[in-house]
Amino acid sequence: QSALTQPPSASGSPGQSVTISCTGTSSDVGGYNYVSWYQQHPGKAPKLMIYEVSKRPSGVPDRFSGSKSGNTASLTVSGLQAEDEADYYCSSYAGSNNPYVFGTGTKVTVL
Amino acid sequence: QVQLQESGPGLVKPSGTLSLTCAVSGDSISSSNWWTWVRQPPGKGLEWIGEIYHSGSTNYNPSLKSRVTISVDKSKNQLSLKVSSVTAADTAVYYCARVPFFFYAFDSWGQGTLVTVSS
């Protein structure tokens, strides 16, 4: 099971939007509506930001949104704020034999 | 509010066995959750290691399956990870995390513990 493909980096100025892609296959991203996104600040544990493609856990700002088309999922951060600067990872359910695969990670920089 | 706390030796010798424990508080290990291990080599991405349900049912990453064992201790409300025949490539921060049943996402994480494989 190969890692999902994400761009290494993305950036935007405060108040702007940034979108991160997460490309997999029909065996993972394209096959299930179980894509999730995690935010990780340096030295910290990942934090769940989006689950089931587009749902936000309680407490996550609505500036974070998710979507999916075919084998590619996307995370959009609108109204960028300084605290959004972090690494972001996608993950997808991939079936009972090897349930979870993570993306390669994207470093978001707020200019 | 569930809390997870990893613990174990921070240094393991090559060819040895890595052993970690994750203490769970604020939730029962016997509740409707999968309990998982994820690792992250320094400066690299996340890798799913495996998961266990309180019934003892397990799933492992095929790339690690031959070397990994995950177990639960209901009396202590904790889960454990063992990785045998370790090499420098197993050096990583190891996290335990919770996946609610039918949720398919990691909703709570421990703070992680760094394990270095070195002689």
Side-chain angles (χ1 to χ4, degrees):
Chain A
Q1 191 83 27
S2 299
L4 307 175
T5 301
Q6 298 180 233
S9 62
S11 62
S13 299
Q16 290 186 332
S17 295
V18 65
T19 297
I20 305 166
S21 62
C22 169
T23 301
T25 69
S26 57
S27 296
D28 38 62
V29 175
Y32 305 93
N33 287 322
Y34 294 127
V35 175
S36 51
W37 289 90
Y38 303 85
Q39 177 190 66
Q40 187 179 35
H41 288 110
K44 300 296 186 181
K47 175 187 175 183
L48 177 65
M49 305 301 284
I50 296 286
Y51 67 99
E52 290 181 13
V53 176
S54 60
K55 297 179 180 179
R56 282 187 311 277
S58 175
V60 173
D62 60 6
R63 303 184 293 103
F64 292 85
S65 62
S67 63
K68 190 186 87 167
S69 178
N71 295 337
T72 298
S74 298
L75 172 72
T76 297
V77 186
S78 305
L80 269 174
Q81 299 183 4
E83 59 262 35
D84 299 332
E85 185 163 295
D87 293 326
Y88 290 83
Y89 292 92
C90 61
S91 177
S92 176
Y93 181 71
S96 57
N97 287 337
N98 187 16
Y100 298 99
V101 60
F102 284 99
T104 50
T106 298
K107 181 176 181 58
V108 169
T109 301
V110 180
L111 302 171
Chain B
Q1 181 76 356
V2 62
Q3 291 189 330
L4 299 94
Q5 178 76 51
E6 305 90 348
S7 62
L11 182 64
V12 180
K13 294 186 185 305
S15 78
T17 297
L18 178 160
S19 297
L20 296 175
T21 298
C22 173
V24 179
S25 58
D27 193 4
S28 170
I29 203 84
S30 297
S31 58
S32 298
N33 300 293
W34 286 89
W35 302 95
T36 74
W37 288 95
V38 175
R39 71 180 183 179
Q40 184 173 36
K44 296 187 178 181
L46 302 167
E47 179 180 34
W48 181 77
I49 298 171
E51 63 181 1
I52 189 166
Y53 197 67
H54 62 78
S55 62
S57 181
T58 55
N59 293 300
Y60 297 120
N61 186 323
S63 68
L64 298 169
K65 185 174 184 177
S66 63
R67 300 193 293 124
V68 170
T69 303
I70 298 175
S71 59
V72 292
D73 186 331
K74 297 179 186 179
S75 66
K76 295 182 179 179
N77 212 45
Q78 65 185 29
L79 65 154
S80 298
L81 170 72
K82 292 186 185 299
V83 182
S84 63
S85 304
V86 297
T87 69
D90 295 306
T91 294
V93 175
Y94 285 77
Y95 296 98
C96 56
R98 184 182 74 174
V99 177
F101 211 74
F102 292 129
F103 191 68
Y104 303 106
F106 308 84
D107 74 336
S108 298
W109 296 69
Q111 88 283 359
T113 188
L114 175 63
V115 178
T116 301
V117 178
S118 175
S119 56

